[in-house]
């Protein structure tokens, strides 16, 4: 069964799939991981690239037309030009083709109108793409860091309000990065993990039942601190890369941080 991306109510969704949706602006939106690789997002980016190419082509055409017109004096008179040309050639002045001037005006108007339409379309596509990549990238990073689903909306709103999360475009490639006040190009996963380990710790889902640490350990896969299968090399790598997350993973399997 295919799940709809946006629905008005969860009544039409089977119970087992309802946790996959989160409420946003009065509707329920399907949380999608790996949106960058989704065909829909790829199509959206291709459409944006195509429109930009079309805009560049139109701009070049308009520049060429304006370049031809810039060489004419402000008091240029087509009738006088044709009269002088005919006199120089010993001919009667030919009948002025009024369509020439009319076509010139219409061509300029057409190019300017098409450029305005493409500017509006580019702006809309760019806004949609940025919102989708930032929102879904932030959602995935928060879930991976153990934030409870019931707090996802609040956590995302808090981080967005600070302006810490941003979309960077370089060489037609998009990256969702964050600014922690020191590093303005910090990977989003690292930024969220640091935030969850400090200020955002209250948003983390609490383990329930007798095996609380075992429940917490399920947040991590291939935990290098697992006493049953420890990996010292990966432990050191994780400590250097993300000390906060390293402590979380150690505590999740009942190991007291030794560093």
């Amino acid at each position: 069964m295919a799940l709809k991306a946006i629905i008005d109510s969860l009544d039409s969704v089977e119970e087992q799939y309802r946790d996959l949706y989160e409420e946003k602006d009065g509707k329920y939106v399907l949380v999608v991981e790996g949106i960058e690789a989704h065909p829909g997002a790829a199509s959206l980016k291709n459409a944006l690239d195509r429109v930009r190419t079309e805009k560049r082509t139109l701009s070049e055409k308009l520049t060429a037309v304006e370049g031809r017109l810039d060489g004419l004096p402000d008091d240029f008179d087509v009738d006088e030009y044709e009269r002088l040309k005919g006199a120089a050639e010993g001919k009667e002045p030919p009948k002025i083709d009024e369509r020439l001037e009319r076509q010139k005006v219409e061509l300029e108007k057409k190019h300017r109108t098409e450029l305005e339409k493409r500017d509006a379309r580019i702006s809309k596509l760019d806004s949609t793409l940025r919102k989708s990549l930032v929102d879904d990238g932030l959602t995935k990073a928060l879930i991976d860091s153990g934030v409870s689903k019931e707090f996802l909306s609040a956590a995302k709103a808090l981080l967005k309000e600070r302006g810490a999360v941003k979309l960077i475009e370089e060489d037609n490639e998009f990256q969702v990065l964050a600014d922690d006040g020191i590093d303005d190009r910090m990977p989003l996963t690292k930024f969220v993990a640091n935030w969850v380990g400090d200020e955002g710790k209250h948003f983390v889902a609490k383990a329930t039942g007798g095996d609380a640490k075992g429940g917490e350990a399920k947040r991590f896969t291939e935990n290098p601190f697992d006493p049953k299968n420890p990996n010292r090399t990966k432990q050191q790598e994780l400590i250097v890369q993300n000390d906060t997350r390293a402590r979380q993973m150690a505590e999740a399997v009942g190991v007291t941080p030794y560093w």
Side-chain angles (χ1 to χ4, degrees):
M1 178 188 73
L3 296 176
K4 294 183 178 180
I6 302 176
I7 57 177
D8 295 324
S9 170
L10 293 176
D11 293 340
S12 61
V13 180
E14 294 182 19
E15 184 71 26
Q16 59 179 325
Y17 298 121
R18 292 183 180 180
D19 287 343
L20 299 178
Y21 288 84
E22 66 178 32
E23 186 175 5
K24 183 185 296 182
D25 299 329
K27 295 184 181 293
Y28 292 87
V29 181
L30 181 65
V31 177
V32 181
E33 296 184 9
I35 187 65
E36 299 87 347
H38 193 280
S43 298
L44 189 62
K45 182 179 183 301
N46 289 337
L48 180 61
D49 292 339
R50 184 169 59 255
V51 170
R52 284 174 172 170
T53 299
E54 293 173 357
K55 177 186 176 182
R56 185 165 55 252
T57 300
L58 286 172
S59 297
E60 292 173 353
K61 289 183 179 179
L62 182 59
T63 299
V65 171
E66 292 177 339
R68 292 166 57 190
L69 297 177
D70 287 342
L72 298 177
D74 294 337
D75 60 347
F76 177 75
D77 188 298
V78 175
D79 294 341
E80 181 64 11
Y81 170 77
E82 293 293 345
R83 187 188 68 78
L84 292 174
K85 180 180 178 182
E89 295 176 351
K91 303 177 182 179
E92 291 294 325
K95 183 179 181 179
I96 302 299
D97 188 355
E98 296 179 355
R99 290 180 301 175
L100 178 63
E101 183 67 19
R102 186 168 57 252
Q103 288 175 353
K104 180 189 70 176
V105 173
E106 290 177 351
L107 181 62
E108 286 185 318
K109 181 179 179 181
K110 177 182 177 182
H111 284 324
R112 293 188 186 279
T113 300
E114 290 181 353
L115 284 173
E116 290 174 357
K117 289 181 178 179
R118 278 162 174 73
D119 280 340
R121 187 180 177 195
I122 286 175
S123 178
K124 183 176 181 180
L125 288 171
D126 186 71
S127 176
T128 300
L129 181 61
R130 288 176 180 274
K131 181 179 179 181
S132 177
L133 291 177
V134 170
D135 191 76
D136 288 286
L138 188 55
T139 297
K140 183 178 184 302
L142 287 168
I143 291 177
D144 289 346
S145 292
V147 172
S148 175
K149 289 185 178 180
E150 61 184 300
F151 298 137
L152 277 176
S153 296
K156 286 195 296 184
L158 180 62
L159 294 177
K160 286 182 179 180
E161 182 178 350
R162 294 180 175 179
V165 182
K166 56 188 177 181
L167 185 70
I168 303 296
E169 179 184 4
E170 295 179 345
D171 299 326
N172 291 325
E173 294 293 334
F174 292 96
Q175 295 185 68
V176 182
L177 302 174
D179 184 354
D180 68 346
I182 299 176
D183 183 0
D184 62 353
R185 294 178 64 86
M186 178 178 288
L188 185 59
T189 52
K190 181 178 180 180
F191 171 78
V192 171
N194 290 342
W195 178 79
V196 168
D198 184 19
E199 182 181 345
K201 59 186 177 182
H202 301 295
F203 293 86
V204 176
K206 303 298 182 183
T208 59
D211 186 14
K213 289 191 177 296
E216 184 71 8
K218 292 179 181 178
R219 289 171 45 204
F220 309 103
T221 59
E222 298 182 1
N223 192 328
F225 297 95
D226 188 347
K228 298 179 181 179
N229 186 27
N231 188 321
R232 293 291 182 181
T233 300
K234 289 188 176 181
Q235 287 179 18
Q236 293 303 317
E237 290 178 354
L238 186 58
I239 291 171
V240 173
Q241 294 173 0
N242 193 332
D243 177 74
T244 299
R245 185 168 178 81
R247 290 179 178 275
Q248 291 178 335
M249 295 182 73
E251 293 171 354
V253 292
V255 175
T256 300
Y258 56 83
W259 60 94

